[in-house]
Amino acid sequence: AGLSINEYVSKLDKRFEYVTTPDGIELVAAVDEETSSNDIDATMLQIENASNVTIEGVGSKAEIYQFGIGFMYSDSIEVKNLSFRHYPEDGLQLLAYGSAGACNLHGYYWVHNNTFKEGLDNWGVGDSDGDESVSLADVRNVTFSFNKFYKTGKTLILGGWEYDACLNMTFHHNYYMLCEQRLPLSRNSNIHNYNNYFVSCDRGLSPRVSTYVFSEANYFDGVGEAYYGDAGSEPWGAVKSFGDIYRSTG
C-alpha cells in the first residue's frame, strides 16, 4: 500500500515527522513499502486529484532534499518559498497526461519565490544531475515568478512528448544562473516570457513543435545561445523578441 504524506516524509528524515496532510487531497500515490532504492519513481512524492492546495516553506531554510513533489491531475495549486536540491528525478512535476482537449486540461498553478538547485542521482538509474528541475505536461494557466534556478541541468520542460500541451504559460522575474539548458524547452505551448535574467547559462529557450513565445524585456548576460533548436527532425517553434537585451550572448 502507498504511504501517507506524513509517513513518507518522516521516513526520509525524522525532523519532518510532524508534517500534516493538507486538506483537499483525494489520493496520494507515493512510495510503496517494498520499493527498492534504485527505483527512480520512489524519489517522487506524487499527489493526485488535488485542488486548492498550497505548499509553502516557512522560514528561510525550508528545503525539499533528495526527493521531488509531483501534482497529477490537480487544479489550483500554489508552491512557494521552498528550495529543491539533489532530487534524483524531478524537483517539481505538474502533470495531467492524456487530458483530452484544451478545455479539459488541468491548471491554475502558481509557482513563486522558490529556489531550484542541482539534482543528484546517486543510484545510477537516471541522469547524474537528476532529470528536469521542473516538468510540466498537459496543463494550462501556469505562472512561474520570482524563482531562482542555480546550476541546474535540464532545467524546465513543458511537454515531454510531441503530443503534450502546455497552454497560457507565464514566466516573469525569474533568475537563471549557471544553468545548462532548457529555460524552458517547450512543445505545443504559448508562452509570455518577460523580465527574466539569464546569467552565464550555456543555452536558453528551446521552443519546439507548435510553440509560440513572446520574449519581452529579458536580460541575457553571457549566455551561449539565447534561443536554440537542436531537435533533430522535430520542427522549431517561433519566438517574437521585443526589448530583450543581449550581452556577450550568442
Side-chain angles (χ1 to χ4, degrees), residues 103-129:
C103 292
N104 296 322
L105 298 181
H106 291 267
Y108 299 98
Y109 303 111
W110 186 19
V111 181
H112 63 101
N113 296 94
N114 300 288
T115 299
F116 294 89
K117 301 177 182 178
E118 70 278 7
L120 179 64
D121 176 18
N122 286 320
W123 297 278
V125 294
D127 294 333
S128 61
D129 57 355

Side-chain angles (χ1 to χ4, degrees), residues 26-234:
E26 179 179 327
L27 172 66
V28 176
V31 204
D32 191 274
E33 290 280 7
E34 300 179 358
T35 302
S36 61
S37 61
N38 65 351
D39 183 355
I40 197 71
D41 292 330
T43 67
M44 294 300 303
L45 173 61
Q46 296 286 7
I47 302 168
E48 296 190 2
N49 303 315
S51 60
N52 303 312
V53 172
T54 294
I55 295 185
E56 177 182 4
V58 177
S60 60
K61 297 181 179 180
E63 184 173 66
I64 305 297
Y65 182 67
Q66 290 188 336
F67 72 104
I69 296 177
F71 283 95
M72 301 282 291
Y73 310 106
S74 299
D75 296 278
S76 300
I77 304 299
E78 181 182 14
V79 180
K80 62 180 179 178
N81 199 39
L82 287 168
S83 179
F84 295 82
R85 181 167 63 98
H86 286 187
Y87 37 88
E89 173 67 354
D90 297 335
L92 178 65
Q93 296 176 343
L94 304 173
L95 307 173
Y97 289 125
S99 299
C103 292
N104 296 322
L105 298 181
H106 291 267
Y108 299 98
Y109 303 111
W110 186 19
V111 181
H112 63 101
N113 296 94
N114 300 288
T115 299
F116 294 89
K117 301 177 182 178
E118 70 278 7
L120 179 64
D121 176 18
N122 286 320
W123 297 278
V125 294
D127 294 333
S128 61
D129 57 355
D131 201 355
E132 279 81 27
S133 301
V134 181
S135 181
L136 298 90
D138 289 342
V139 293
R140 63 187 175 117
N141 302 332
V142 181
T143 297
F144 278 77
S145 58
F146 298 97
N147 299 290
K148 297 178 182 178
F149 295 86
Y150 179 66
K151 288 188 175 180
T152 52
K154 293 184 290 184
T155 305
L156 283 154
I157 187 166
L158 314 183
W161 303 96
E162 61 184 16
Y163 43 78
D164 293 333
C166 292
L167 304 181
N168 305 334
M169 312 295 298
T170 301
F171 294 85
H172 69 87
H173 295 91
N174 298 292
Y175 179 74
Y176 305 88
M177 183 176 186
L178 298 171
C179 301
E180 292 181 12
Q181 58 177 320
R182 301 185 177 183
L183 308 176
L185 183 157
S186 49
R187 297 181 175 95
N188 302 307
S189 303
N190 62 301
I191 302 169
H192 189 191
N193 193 59
Y194 68 93
N195 287 5
N196 299 287
Y197 184 37
F198 304 81
V199 57
S200 300
C201 298
D202 293 341
R203 299 195 286 183
L205 285 73
S206 182
R208 301 190 183 181
V209 57
S210 299
T211 288
Y212 302 91
V213 180
F214 181 30
S215 180
E216 180 183 16
N218 299 288
Y219 196 101
F220 297 87
D221 186 358
V223 177
E225 296 177 271
Y227 314 103
Y228 70 99
D230 192 25
S233 60
E234 190 172 7

Side-chain angles (χ1 to χ4, degrees), residues 5-18:
I5 290 180
N6 287 345
E7 292 168 331
Y8 178 60
V9 176
S10 66
K11 285 173 75 70
L12 292 170
D13 192 321
K14 288 296 183 182
R15 291 174 297 174
F16 301 143
E17 62 184 341
Y18 300 110

